[in-house]
Every structure is written in C-alpha cells, then in structure tokens.
Amino acid sequence: MDYQANLAQVTHRIRQAEQRFDRLQGSVQLLAVSKTKPIEAINALAKLGQNAFGENYLQESLDKIGQRPDLEWHFIGPIQSNKTKPIAEHFNWVHSVDRLKIAQRLSAQRPTELPPLNILLQVNISQEETKSGFSPQQLLDQVEQIQQLPNLTLRGLMAIPKAETEFDQQRVALAQMHSLFNQLKSVLNTTNFDTLSMGMSGDLEAAIAEGSTLVRIGTDLFGARDYAV
Ligand SMILES: *Cc1c(COP(=O)(O)O)cnc(C)c1O
C-alpha cells in the first residue's frame, strides 16, 4: 500500500474542492478512518504527518490508542450506553453522540483531569430506520441542554447521509445538514460550535461544497476493508 500517494491524492482532492466551492484553503480537516486496519498502517500515515484518526469498534480502538496515545483519536461508531466509560476516558472526540442519554453519560464519565471531551451530535438526516441519530426537531429541543453538560464541549454535527452516487443527489441531504448547522450555530451563539463532520471517500467533494469542515476518509487512504479478518 502506497500511503504517501494515497494521502497526497486525498489531500489534493480536499484542496481542489475547497478552491472550486469557494472555501478557505485549509479549512477542511482530514480524519483518517482506520477501523479494521493494523497499527502499522496508522504508524505509516502518522509518519507522513496525519495526526487525527477515526475508529468505530471499541476494543480494537483501545488497543491502538494504548500504542499511540500521542495521536488525536475520534470515536465515530455506534455507541451502546454501557460502553460510554472507556470512550469518555480514552478519546479526544466523539462524533456519534446520537441521544441525550449518551451525552449525559459521557459528561459524567469524563475524567475531570482531562480537557472536556469534544462531541458532535449525529443527525439522522435521511431519516433512515436503520441509522441512529437525532432528528432535526429533537436537536432543536435538546441542544441547549446538551451544551450545558459540564465535561463536554459541543463542537458541532455529524451525518452519514444515505449513499448516493450522483453529485447533485448527494448534495440534497448535505445541504439540509448545512442549514441545520447554521441554524443551531445562531441559537447557541458560541464560537465552539465550529465543526460539521460529513463526507467520506465517495462524497467528499459534495460535502465540501455544502460546508463540511471535516471529512472522514477510510477506503481511499487505507484501501478496501476486509471484515473477514
Ligand atoms: C467507515 C466510516 C467512514 C469511512 O468510509 P470510507 O467510505 O471508507 O471512506 C466514515 N465515517 C464513518 C462513520 C464510518 O463508519
């Protein structure tokens, strides 16, 4: 695997999309999604300057964090409420906060000697039965309560829209996220609410067109995942 070429290409796509859609150069951050990939792959990208990594599976991620506590770790997978403690203790960011109860538990379990845990609220923007996340209305009702939790910093929103292959189709749900993000930003009136996590290998450009500040890329950096191992 040529990690250097993959990283250069993904970075190039991000910078090109920033330019094409009148986004500030360097305003979109890259999260390398390393789920199912070995520590050697993470070490290789870290050596090339990639600092932020996203993980979905708790046990696997704790092993990796133990080996590289110097990197910035983002939890992006589904969260069971009985698994919040290790997440609160070991991660820098959580993107997949999908209900009030999870936010409350993460705040209660965040060690107070650590900085507040950065959280994003996951929105089920395509309203799919199989996906978790707040509805836009739930967010409007609950966001201020979440913002007040003491050991968290509410940084923004995350979405995994329904997969679409056409650019214009991809933009529809992403545009809804963009306007919801701006609406909440004005309600909350804080500079901390600055992160819109959307865009994966297949819809990176559309996400940047619609205001993403952080794209989560796995396949195009690490190659296809093999879930059989
Ligand atoms: C796996 C995953 C990604 C990365 O997807 P790719 O298509 O491999 O780039 C991004 N976000 C979440 C939440 C994921 O689970």
Side-chain angles (χ1 to χ4, degrees):
M1 189 62 59
D2 188 346
Y3 295 110
Q4 189 158 18
N6 290 356
L7 181 61
Q9 181 159 31
V10 168
T11 304
H12 179 70
R13 279 174 66 194
I14 294 171
R15 298 286 96 88
Q16 274 212 315
E18 285 171 346
Q19 193 166 25
R20 176 169 161 211
F21 299 107
D22 286 323
R23 303 286 311 278
L24 223 53
Q25 281 290 296
S27 60
V28 179
Q29 198 199 332
L30 172 61
L31 181 68
V33 176
S34 46
K35 64 185 178 213
T36 80
K37 299 298 176 182
I39 192 73
E40 291 75 21
I42 292 167
N43 288 338
L45 272 192
K47 209 169 163 185
L48 296 166
Q50 176 64 31
N51 181 53
F53 291 85
E55 289 280 339
N56 294 52
Y57 309 112
L58 188 58
Q59 193 51 55
E60 175 193 334
S61 65
L62 295 178
D63 294 343
K64 293 173 185 173
I65 296 171
Q67 296 185 66
R68 290 301 303 260
D70 57 312
L71 299 173
E72 183 179 283
W73 293 98
H74 296 230
F75 193 80
I76 63 174
I79 305 177
Q80 291 168 268
S81 64
N82 63 347
K83 298 283 172 58
T84 48
K85 190 160 188 279
I87 295 174
E89 289 174 347
H90 295 284
F91 281 83
N92 306 100
W93 286 74
V94 181
H95 292 218
S96 42
V97 176
D98 62 352
R99 52 200 192 277
L100 176 61
K101 181 182 169 193
I102 296 294
Q104 289 168 330
R105 290 179 65 90
L106 289 170
S107 179
Q109 293 168 335
R110 179 67 168 176
T112 48
E113 68 271 18
L114 295 180
L117 180 63
N118 295 295
I119 66 156
L120 303 177
L121 303 178
Q122 183 172 349
V123 186
N124 190 357
I125 196 68
S126 306
Q127 295 176 27
E128 292 174 275
E129 294 272 346
T130 53
K131 281 194 191 134
S132 54
F134 291 87
S135 69
Q137 188 57 51
Q138 282 172 330
L139 268 190
L140 291 167
D141 294 342
Q142 298 175 2
V143 75
E144 283 159 299
Q145 200 180 341
I146 294 170
Q147 189 190 25
Q148 284 162 17
L149 292 168
N151 302 317
L152 307 179
T153 304
L154 176 56
R155 297 294 298 270
L157 302 180
M158 179 273 238
I160 312 171
K162 187 156 158 276
E164 299 282 358
T165 50
E166 298 300 321
F167 184 80
D168 289 338
Q169 284 302 317
Q170 291 174 344
R171 274 186 86 152
V172 176
L174 296 163
Q176 291 168 355
M177 282 299 298
H178 194 195
S179 80
L180 182 62
F181 179 71
N182 286 335
Q183 188 182 357
L184 292 173
K185 204 177 162 80
S186 69
V187 170
L188 293 171
N189 190 26
T190 162
T191 53
N192 286 333
F193 198 81
D194 60 1
T195 304
L196 183 52
S197 165
M198 54 188 200
M200 318 206 305
S201 296
D203 65 352
L204 177 164
E205 283 81 6
I208 292 175
E210 293 298 347
S212 169
T213 68
L214 183 156
V215 292
R216 309 179 307 264
I217 307 297
T219 307
D220 286 357
L221 286 173
F222 293 105
R225 287 178 291 276
D226 182 358
Y227 285 101
V229 294

Short mmCIF file of all heavy atoms in Angstrom, two decimals, residues 144-202:
data_model
loop_
_atom_site.label_atom_id
_atom_site.label_comp_id
_atom_site.label_asym_id
_atom_site.label_seq_id
_atom_site.Cartn_x
_atom_site.Cartn_y
_atom_site.Cartn_z
N GLU A 144 -29.63 22.86 23.74
CA GLU A 144 -29.16 23.75 24.81
C GLU A 144 -28.86 22.97 26.08
O GLU A 144 -27.90 23.26 26.80
CB GLU A 144 -30.16 24.88 25.04
CG GLU A 144 -30.04 25.93 23.94
CD GLU A 144 -31.27 26.79 23.79
OE1 GLU A 144 -32.35 26.25 23.48
OE2 GLU A 144 -31.15 28.01 23.98
N GLN A 145 -29.67 21.95 26.35
CA GLN A 145 -29.43 21.08 27.50
C GLN A 145 -28.07 20.35 27.35
O GLN A 145 -27.32 20.23 28.31
CB GLN A 145 -30.58 20.07 27.57
CG GLN A 145 -30.75 19.42 28.91
CD GLN A 145 -31.91 18.43 28.89
OE1 GLN A 145 -32.78 18.45 28.01
NE2 GLN A 145 -31.92 17.53 29.86
N ILE A 146 -27.78 19.91 26.15
CA ILE A 146 -26.52 19.21 25.91
C ILE A 146 -25.34 20.18 26.03
O ILE A 146 -24.31 19.85 26.62
CB ILE A 146 -26.53 18.53 24.52
CG1 ILE A 146 -27.58 17.40 24.51
CG2 ILE A 146 -25.16 17.98 24.16
CD1 ILE A 146 -27.87 16.80 23.16
N GLN A 147 -25.52 21.37 25.52
CA GLN A 147 -24.44 22.36 25.59
C GLN A 147 -24.03 22.65 27.04
O GLN A 147 -22.88 22.99 27.31
CB GLN A 147 -24.88 23.66 24.91
CG GLN A 147 -23.74 24.65 24.74
CD GLN A 147 -24.23 26.01 24.30
OE1 GLN A 147 -25.38 26.37 24.56
NE2 GLN A 147 -23.38 26.76 23.63
N GLN A 148 -24.98 22.50 27.97
CA GLN A 148 -24.68 22.83 29.36
C GLN A 148 -23.98 21.72 30.14
O GLN A 148 -23.58 21.92 31.28
CB GLN A 148 -25.98 23.24 30.07
CG GLN A 148 -26.41 24.63 29.67
CD GLN A 148 -27.86 24.92 29.98
OE1 GLN A 148 -28.48 24.22 30.77
NE2 GLN A 148 -28.39 25.95 29.35
N LEU A 149 -23.84 20.54 29.54
CA LEU A 149 -23.18 19.45 30.27
C LEU A 149 -21.72 19.84 30.57
O LEU A 149 -21.01 20.31 29.68
CB LEU A 149 -23.27 18.15 29.47
CG LEU A 149 -24.71 17.60 29.36
CD1 LEU A 149 -24.79 16.50 28.32
CD2 LEU A 149 -25.19 17.10 30.72
N PRO A 150 -21.27 19.62 31.80
CA PRO A 150 -20.02 20.25 32.24
C PRO A 150 -18.72 19.73 31.62
O PRO A 150 -17.80 20.51 31.40
CB PRO A 150 -20.01 20.01 33.76
CG PRO A 150 -20.93 18.86 33.98
CD PRO A 150 -21.97 18.95 32.91
N ASN A 151 -18.61 18.43 31.34
CA ASN A 151 -17.31 17.92 30.92
C ASN A 151 -17.20 17.64 29.43
O ASN A 151 -16.34 16.87 28.98
CB ASN A 151 -16.96 16.66 31.73
CG ASN A 151 -16.95 16.97 33.22
OD1 ASN A 151 -16.42 18.00 33.63
ND2 ASN A 151 -17.56 16.10 34.01
N LEU A 152 -18.12 18.28 28.68
CA LEU A 152 -18.13 18.15 27.22
C LEU A 152 -18.01 19.53 26.60
O LEU A 152 -18.43 20.52 27.19
CB LEU A 152 -19.46 17.54 26.75
CG LEU A 152 -19.93 16.23 27.37
CD1 LEU A 152 -21.29 15.85 26.77
CD2 LEU A 152 -18.91 15.12 27.15
N THR A 153 -17.43 19.57 25.38
CA THR A 153 -17.54 20.78 24.56
C THR A 153 -18.30 20.38 23.30
O THR A 153 -17.84 19.53 22.53
CB THR A 153 -16.16 21.35 24.17
OG1 THR A 153 -15.41 21.60 25.36
CG2 THR A 153 -16.32 22.65 23.40
N LEU A 154 -19.47 20.97 23.13
CA LEU A 154 -20.30 20.68 21.95
C LEU A 154 -19.70 21.41 20.75
O LEU A 154 -19.76 22.64 20.67
CB LEU A 154 -21.74 21.11 22.20
CG LEU A 154 -22.70 20.96 21.02
CD1 LEU A 154 -22.73 19.54 20.50
CD2 LEU A 154 -24.09 21.43 21.41
N ARG A 155 -19.11 20.64 19.83
CA ARG A 155 -18.37 21.25 18.72
C ARG A 155 -19.15 21.31 17.41
O ARG A 155 -18.75 22.02 16.50
CB ARG A 155 -17.06 20.48 18.49
CG ARG A 155 -16.09 20.53 19.68
CD ARG A 155 -15.56 21.94 19.93
NE ARG A 155 -14.81 22.43 18.80
CZ ARG A 155 -13.49 22.28 18.64
NH1 ARG A 155 -12.79 21.65 19.57
NH2 ARG A 155 -12.87 22.77 17.59
N GLY A 156 -20.25 20.53 17.28
CA GLY A 156 -20.98 20.60 16.02
C GLY A 156 -21.80 19.36 15.74
O GLY A 156 -22.29 18.70 16.66
N LEU A 157 -21.93 19.05 14.44
CA LEU A 157 -22.81 17.98 13.98
C LEU A 157 -22.05 17.00 13.09
O LEU A 157 -21.06 17.34 12.47
CB LEU A 157 -23.97 18.56 13.16
CG LEU A 157 -24.87 19.59 13.83
CD1 LEU A 157 -25.96 20.04 12.83
CD2 LEU A 157 -25.50 19.06 15.11
N MET A 158 -22.60 15.79 13.03
CA MET A 158 -22.06 14.75 12.14
C MET A 158 -23.22 14.07 11.43
O MET A 158 -24.30 13.92 12.00
CB MET A 158 -21.27 13.73 12.96
CG MET A 158 -20.68 12.59 12.16
SD MET A 158 -21.76 11.18 11.92
CE MET A 158 -20.79 9.89 12.64
N ALA A 159 -23.00 13.66 10.19
CA ALA A 159 -24.03 12.89 9.48
C ALA A 159 -23.41 11.86 8.56
O ALA A 159 -22.29 12.03 8.07
CB ALA A 159 -24.94 13.81 8.66
N ILE A 160 -24.16 10.78 8.38
CA ILE A 160 -23.85 9.76 7.38
C ILE A 160 -25.08 9.68 6.48
O ILE A 160 -25.97 8.87 6.71
CB ILE A 160 -23.61 8.37 8.02
CG1 ILE A 160 -22.65 8.47 9.21
CG2 ILE A 160 -23.10 7.38 6.98
CD1 ILE A 160 -22.54 7.18 10.03
N PRO A 161 -25.18 10.55 5.47
CA PRO A 161 -26.39 10.54 4.65
C PRO A 161 -26.50 9.23 3.87
O PRO A 161 -25.52 8.52 3.68
CB PRO A 161 -26.19 11.71 3.68
CG PRO A 161 -25.05 12.49 4.19
CD PRO A 161 -24.22 11.57 5.03
N LYS A 162 -27.72 8.96 3.44
CA LYS A 162 -27.98 7.81 2.59
C LYS A 162 -27.04 7.86 1.39
O LYS A 162 -26.86 8.92 0.79
CB LYS A 162 -29.44 7.91 2.14
CG LYS A 162 -29.99 6.76 1.39
CD LYS A 162 -31.53 6.76 1.55
CE LYS A 162 -32.20 5.99 0.44
NZ LYS A 162 -32.41 6.82 -0.77
N ALA A 163 -26.44 6.71 1.04
CA ALA A 163 -25.46 6.69 -0.04
C ALA A 163 -26.12 7.01 -1.39
O ALA A 163 -27.15 6.43 -1.75
CB ALA A 163 -24.77 5.34 -0.10
N GLU A 164 -25.54 7.96 -2.10
CA GLU A 164 -26.00 8.32 -3.45
C GLU A 164 -24.76 8.39 -4.32
O GLU A 164 -23.69 8.76 -3.84
CB GLU A 164 -26.65 9.72 -3.44
CG GLU A 164 -27.88 9.86 -2.56
CD GLU A 164 -29.14 9.27 -3.16
OE1 GLU A 164 -29.07 8.77 -4.31
OE2 GLU A 164 -30.17 9.30 -2.48
N THR A 165 -24.89 8.08 -5.60
CA THR A 165 -23.71 8.13 -6.45
C THR A 165 -23.61 9.45 -7.23
O THR A 165 -22.52 9.89 -7.56
CB THR A 165 -23.69 6.96 -7.45
OG1 THR A 165 -24.95 6.91 -8.10
CG2 THR A 165 -23.41 5.64 -6.74
N GLU A 166 -24.75 10.08 -7.51
CA GLU A 166 -24.73 11.32 -8.30
C GLU A 166 -24.46 12.53 -7.41
O GLU A 166 -25.11 12.70 -6.36
CB GLU A 166 -26.07 11.52 -9.02
CG GLU A 166 -26.40 10.43 -10.03
CD GLU A 166 -25.37 10.33 -11.13
OE1 GLU A 166 -24.89 11.39 -11.60
OE2 GLU A 166 -25.02 9.20 -11.51
N PHE A 167 -23.59 13.39 -7.87
CA PHE A 167 -23.19 14.58 -7.12
C PHE A 167 -24.41 15.41 -6.68
O PHE A 167 -24.54 15.76 -5.50
CB PHE A 167 -22.26 15.42 -8.00
CG PHE A 167 -21.71 16.63 -7.33
CD1 PHE A 167 -20.62 16.53 -6.47
CD2 PHE A 167 -22.25 17.88 -7.57
CE1 PHE A 167 -20.09 17.66 -5.85
CE2 PHE A 167 -21.72 19.02 -6.96
CZ PHE A 167 -20.64 18.90 -6.10
N ASP A 168 -25.32 15.69 -7.60
CA ASP A 168 -26.47 16.54 -7.25
C ASP A 168 -27.39 15.86 -6.24
O ASP A 168 -27.98 16.52 -5.38
CB ASP A 168 -27.26 16.91 -8.51
CG ASP A 168 -26.48 17.89 -9.39
OD1 ASP A 168 -25.59 18.58 -8.85
OD2 ASP A 168 -26.76 17.94 -10.60
N GLN A 169 -27.50 14.55 -6.34
CA GLN A 169 -28.28 13.79 -5.36
C GLN A 169 -27.60 13.82 -3.98
O GLN A 169 -28.27 13.95 -2.96
CB GLN A 169 -28.44 12.34 -5.81
CG GLN A 169 -29.46 12.15 -6.93
CD GLN A 169 -30.84 12.65 -6.52
OE1 GLN A 169 -31.29 12.39 -5.39
NE2 GLN A 169 -31.51 13.37 -7.40
N GLN A 170 -26.28 13.66 -4.00
CA GLN A 170 -25.53 13.69 -2.74
C GLN A 170 -25.74 15.03 -2.02
O GLN A 170 -25.86 15.09 -0.80
CB GLN A 170 -24.03 13.49 -3.00
CG GLN A 170 -23.67 12.09 -3.46
CD GLN A 170 -22.20 11.97 -3.84
OE1 GLN A 170 -21.50 12.96 -4.05
NE2 GLN A 170 -21.73 10.74 -3.95
N ARG A 171 -25.80 16.09 -2.80
CA ARG A 171 -25.86 17.44 -2.20
C ARG A 171 -27.14 17.70 -1.43
O ARG A 171 -27.14 18.55 -0.54
CB ARG A 171 -25.69 18.51 -3.29
CG ARG A 171 -24.25 18.82 -3.56
CD ARG A 171 -24.08 19.97 -4.53
NE ARG A 171 -24.09 21.28 -3.88
CZ ARG A 171 -23.47 22.34 -4.37
NH1 ARG A 171 -22.79 22.26 -5.51
NH2 ARG A 171 -23.53 23.49 -3.75
N VAL A 172 -28.23 17.01 -1.75
CA VAL A 172 -29.53 17.34 -1.15
C VAL A 172 -29.49 17.21 0.38
O VAL A 172 -29.75 18.17 1.10
CB VAL A 172 -30.66 16.46 -1.74
CG1 VAL A 172 -31.98 16.74 -1.05
CG2 VAL A 172 -30.77 16.70 -3.24
N ALA A 173 -29.11 16.03 0.89
CA ALA A 173 -29.08 15.82 2.35
C ALA A 173 -27.96 16.64 2.98
O ALA A 173 -28.10 17.16 4.10
CB ALA A 173 -28.89 14.34 2.67
N LEU A 174 -26.84 16.78 2.27
CA LEU A 174 -25.71 17.55 2.81
C LEU A 174 -26.10 19.02 2.97
O LEU A 174 -25.70 19.68 3.94
CB LEU A 174 -24.50 17.39 1.88
CG LEU A 174 -23.94 15.95 1.78
CD1 LEU A 174 -23.04 15.81 0.56
CD2 LEU A 174 -23.19 15.57 3.06
N ALA A 175 -26.90 19.53 2.04
CA ALA A 175 -27.37 20.92 2.14
C ALA A 175 -28.31 21.09 3.33
O ALA A 175 -28.28 22.13 4.02
CB ALA A 175 -28.08 21.33 0.84
N GLN A 176 -29.13 20.08 3.60
CA GLN A 176 -30.00 20.14 4.78
C GLN A 176 -29.17 20.19 6.06
O GLN A 176 -29.49 20.92 6.99
CB GLN A 176 -30.94 18.93 4.81
CG GLN A 176 -31.99 18.95 3.70
CD GLN A 176 -32.73 17.62 3.55
OE1 GLN A 176 -32.42 16.63 4.22
NE2 GLN A 176 -33.71 17.61 2.68
N MET A 177 -28.10 19.41 6.08
CA MET A 177 -27.19 19.45 7.24
C MET A 177 -26.57 20.83 7.40
O MET A 177 -26.45 21.36 8.50
CB MET A 177 -26.07 18.42 7.06
CG MET A 177 -26.44 17.00 7.36
SD MET A 177 -26.98 16.73 9.06
CE MET A 177 -25.52 17.17 10.00
N HIS A 178 -26.17 21.41 6.28
CA HIS A 178 -25.52 22.73 6.31
C HIS A 178 -26.46 23.77 6.91
O HIS A 178 -26.07 24.56 7.77
CB HIS A 178 -25.12 23.11 4.88
CG HIS A 178 -24.17 24.25 4.80
ND1 HIS A 178 -23.91 24.93 3.64
CD2 HIS A 178 -23.40 24.85 5.75
CE1 HIS A 178 -23.02 25.89 3.87
NE2 HIS A 178 -22.70 25.87 5.15
N SER A 179 -27.72 23.75 6.50
CA SER A 179 -28.62 24.77 7.03
C SER A 179 -28.99 24.50 8.49
O SER A 179 -29.11 25.43 9.29
CB SER A 179 -29.84 24.98 6.12
OG SER A 179 -30.78 23.99 6.33
N LEU A 180 -29.11 23.22 8.87
CA LEU A 180 -29.35 22.89 10.28
C LEU A 180 -28.17 23.34 11.15
O LEU A 180 -28.35 23.91 12.24
CB LEU A 180 -29.57 21.37 10.41
CG LEU A 180 -29.89 20.83 11.80
CD1 LEU A 180 -31.19 21.42 12.34
CD2 LEU A 180 -29.97 19.30 11.76
N PHE A 181 -26.97 23.10 10.64
CA PHE A 181 -25.75 23.52 11.36
C PHE A 181 -25.76 25.04 11.58
O PHE A 181 -25.53 25.52 12.70
CB PHE A 181 -24.53 23.09 10.54
CG PHE A 181 -23.20 23.48 11.13
CD1 PHE A 181 -22.73 22.87 12.28
CD2 PHE A 181 -22.41 24.45 10.52
CE1 PHE A 181 -21.49 23.22 12.82
CE2 PHE A 181 -21.18 24.80 11.05
CZ PHE A 181 -20.72 24.18 12.20
N ASN A 182 -26.07 25.79 10.53
CA ASN A 182 -26.09 27.25 10.67
C ASN A 182 -27.18 27.72 11.61
O ASN A 182 -26.98 28.67 12.39
CB ASN A 182 -26.24 27.91 9.29
CG ASN A 182 -24.96 27.83 8.49
OD1 ASN A 182 -23.87 27.74 9.05
ND2 ASN A 182 -25.09 27.85 7.17
N GLN A 183 -28.31 27.04 11.57
CA GLN A 183 -29.42 27.40 12.46
C GLN A 183 -29.03 27.20 13.93
O GLN A 183 -29.23 28.08 14.76
CB GLN A 183 -30.64 26.54 12.10
CG GLN A 183 -31.91 26.94 12.80
CD GLN A 183 -33.07 26.00 12.45
OE1 GLN A 183 -32.92 25.09 11.63
NE2 GLN A 183 -34.21 26.23 13.07
N LEU A 184 -28.44 26.03 14.22
CA LEU A 184 -28.03 25.75 15.60
C LEU A 184 -26.92 26.68 16.06
O LEU A 184 -26.89 27.12 17.20
CB LEU A 184 -27.58 24.29 15.74
CG LEU A 184 -28.69 23.26 15.58
CD1 LEU A 184 -28.10 21.86 15.55
CD2 LEU A 184 -29.71 23.37 16.70
N LYS A 185 -26.04 26.98 15.15
CA LYS A 185 -24.93 27.89 15.46
C LYS A 185 -25.48 29.24 15.93
O LYS A 185 -24.96 29.82 16.89
CB LYS A 185 -24.10 28.07 14.19
CG LYS A 185 -22.66 28.47 14.39
CD LYS A 185 -22.03 28.51 12.98
CE LYS A 185 -20.75 29.30 12.99
NZ LYS A 185 -19.62 28.53 13.48
N SER A 186 -26.53 29.71 15.29
CA SER A 186 -27.06 31.01 15.71
C SER A 186 -27.86 30.89 17.01
O SER A 186 -27.86 31.80 17.83
CB SER A 186 -27.87 31.67 14.59
OG SER A 186 -29.05 30.97 14.37
N VAL A 187 -28.51 29.75 17.24
CA VAL A 187 -29.20 29.53 18.51
C VAL A 187 -28.20 29.49 19.67
O VAL A 187 -28.40 30.11 20.72
CB VAL A 187 -29.99 28.19 18.50
CG1 VAL A 187 -30.51 27.84 19.89
CG2 VAL A 187 -31.14 28.24 17.50
N LEU A 188 -27.10 28.75 19.47
CA LEU A 188 -26.15 28.52 20.55
C LEU A 188 -25.25 29.72 20.78
O LEU A 188 -24.77 29.94 21.89
CB LEU A 188 -25.29 27.28 20.26
CG LEU A 188 -26.06 25.97 20.26
CD1 LEU A 188 -25.19 24.84 19.74
CD2 LEU A 188 -26.58 25.64 21.66
N ASN A 189 -24.96 30.45 19.70
CA ASN A 189 -24.18 31.68 19.82
C ASN A 189 -22.84 31.46 20.54
O ASN A 189 -22.52 32.13 21.51
CB ASN A 189 -25.03 32.73 20.55
CG ASN A 189 -24.39 34.10 20.49
OD1 ASN A 189 -23.63 34.39 19.56
ND2 ASN A 189 -24.68 34.94 21.48
N THR A 190 -22.07 30.47 20.07
CA THR A 190 -20.75 30.23 20.64
C THR A 190 -19.77 29.89 19.52
O THR A 190 -20.14 29.23 18.56
CB THR A 190 -20.76 29.07 21.66
OG1 THR A 190 -19.42 28.60 21.85
CG2 THR A 190 -21.59 27.90 21.17
N THR A 191 -18.53 30.33 19.68
CA THR A 191 -17.53 30.03 18.65
C THR A 191 -17.08 28.58 18.72
O THR A 191 -16.43 28.09 17.80
CB THR A 191 -16.29 30.95 18.80
OG1 THR A 191 -15.83 30.85 20.15
CG2 THR A 191 -16.63 32.38 18.46
N ASN A 192 -17.39 27.87 19.81
CA ASN A 192 -17.02 26.46 19.90
C ASN A 192 -17.76 25.59 18.89
O ASN A 192 -17.31 24.50 18.57
CB ASN A 192 -17.36 25.89 21.29
CG ASN A 192 -16.38 26.37 22.35
OD1 ASN A 192 -15.25 26.68 22.05
ND2 ASN A 192 -16.86 26.44 23.58
N PHE A 193 -18.93 26.03 18.47
CA PHE A 193 -19.75 25.22 17.56
C PHE A 193 -19.24 25.46 16.13
O PHE A 193 -19.77 26.28 15.39
CB PHE A 193 -21.22 25.62 17.72
CG PHE A 193 -22.19 24.61 17.19
CD1 PHE A 193 -22.56 23.49 17.94
CD2 PHE A 193 -22.78 24.77 15.94
CE1 PHE A 193 -23.46 22.57 17.46
CE2 PHE A 193 -23.69 23.84 15.44
CZ PHE A 193 -24.03 22.74 16.21
N ASP A 194 -18.17 24.73 15.78
CA ASP A 194 -17.42 25.06 14.56
C ASP A 194 -17.14 23.87 13.64
O ASP A 194 -16.40 24.01 12.68
CB ASP A 194 -16.08 25.71 14.96
CG ASP A 194 -15.21 24.79 15.83
OD1 ASP A 194 -15.63 23.64 16.10
OD2 ASP A 194 -14.12 25.21 16.23
N THR A 195 -17.71 22.72 13.93
CA THR A 195 -17.33 21.51 13.19
C THR A 195 -18.54 20.82 12.56
O THR A 195 -19.51 20.50 13.26
CB THR A 195 -16.60 20.52 14.13
OG1 THR A 195 -15.48 21.19 14.71
CG2 THR A 195 -16.11 19.30 13.36
N LEU A 196 -18.47 20.63 11.25
CA LEU A 196 -19.51 19.89 10.53
C LEU A 196 -18.84 18.69 9.87
O LEU A 196 -18.12 18.82 8.88
CB LEU A 196 -20.17 20.81 9.50
CG LEU A 196 -21.33 20.24 8.69
CD1 LEU A 196 -22.41 19.63 9.57
CD2 LEU A 196 -21.94 21.32 7.78
N SER A 197 -19.03 17.51 10.49
CA SER A 197 -18.35 16.29 10.06
C SER A 197 -19.22 15.55 9.05
O SER A 197 -20.20 14.90 9.41
CB SER A 197 -18.07 15.40 11.29
OG SER A 197 -17.74 14.08 10.93
N MET A 198 -18.87 15.68 7.78
CA MET A 198 -19.57 14.93 6.74
C MET A 198 -18.66 14.83 5.52
O MET A 198 -17.80 15.67 5.30
CB MET A 198 -20.93 15.53 6.42
CG MET A 198 -20.96 16.99 6.05
SD MET A 198 -22.66 17.60 5.94
CE MET A 198 -22.38 19.08 4.92
N GLY A 199 -18.87 13.77 4.74
CA GLY A 199 -18.03 13.49 3.60
C GLY A 199 -17.17 12.27 3.87
O GLY A 199 -16.47 12.20 4.87
N MET A 200 -17.28 11.27 2.98
CA MET A 200 -16.49 10.05 3.06
C MET A 200 -15.81 9.88 1.69
O MET A 200 -15.83 10.80 0.88
CB MET A 200 -17.37 8.86 3.44
CG MET A 200 -18.39 9.22 4.53
SD MET A 200 -18.97 7.87 5.59
CE MET A 200 -19.60 6.69 4.44
N SER A 201 -15.21 8.73 1.46
CA SER A 201 -14.47 8.57 0.20
C SER A 201 -15.35 8.88 -1.02
O SER A 201 -14.88 9.47 -1.98
CB SER A 201 -13.90 7.15 0.08
OG SER A 201 -12.94 6.93 1.09
N GLY A 202 -16.63 8.50 -0.97
CA GLY A 202 -17.49 8.63 -2.13
C GLY A 202 -18.20 9.96 -2.30
O GLY A 202 -18.76 10.24 -3.38
#
